[in-house]
Amino acid sequence: MTTVPVTCIVPARMASSRFPGKPLVDIGGLPLVVRSARRALDARCFERVVVATEDQVVVDVCRAHGLETILTPSFPTGTDRVAWAARELSTPWVLNLQGDEPVFPLELLRDLCGLLPTDPTALWTAADLG
């Protein structure tokens, strides 16, 4: 686990142009966004895991599953939503885990937490180049 406190922000919205309602699609008995946020919790490297959404229904579902949430204004991208949430939460280190990544590799989440630099202008992106 990193010694730098890192917040994982999971952006999600119901109005996806390609797949409206995607955050609440049932995946093995749980909504997709819940599975994604729980994946971040399973990594055990984050100080906080927060679902950021503009949709009250997503807030309600996530809270019913014991997840922390923040209701955001409407934004054109998840990155905008994460940036806004990071400012509101006053957290200096953020990992953006998309709300549709319920099987993101735990070891990669842990590696990213451990690699966070001390440079506040740095940006990391995970990619499988194999």
Side-chain angles (χ1 to χ4, degrees):
M1 186 187 317
T2 181
T3 58
V4 177
V6 178
T7 298
C8 180
I9 299 179
V10 182
R13 70 184 183 112
M14 294 294 287
S16 166
S17 59
R18 294 181 304 237
F19 191 166
K22 179 169 61 171
L24 301 185
V25 168
D26 185 280
I27 304 292
L30 288 173
L32 177 61
V33 68
V34 170
R35 286 213 176 269
S36 296
R38 284 187 177 175
R39 190 67 172 176
L41 289 167
D42 288 346
R44 298 188 186 277
C45 63
F46 300 108
E47 180 178 63
R48 298 168 81 179
V49 174
V50 181
V51 175
T53 183
E54 65 188 48
D55 301 293
Q56 187 63 49
V57 66
V58 175
V59 167
D60 295 342
V61 167
C62 288
R63 287 186 179 162
H65 287 277
L67 298 170
E68 185 177 355
T69 64
I70 186 168
L71 189 61
T72 73
S74 180
F75 288 107
T77 71
T79 302
D80 295 318
R81 186 174 334 288
V82 169
W84 183 90
R87 283 189 300 275
E88 289 295 308
L89 297 169
S90 297
T91 183
W93 294 103
V94 172
L95 189 140
N96 173 353
L97 178 65
Q98 294 299 304
D100 61 358
E101 295 193 285
V103 294
F104 198 92
L106 292 177
E107 198 57 40
L108 185 52
L109 287 173
R110 292 178 191 126
D111 288 348
L112 288 168
C113 282
L115 290 172
L116 282 175
T118 57
D119 177 357
T121 62
L123 175 68
W124 293 82
T125 299
D128 180 3
L129 302 175

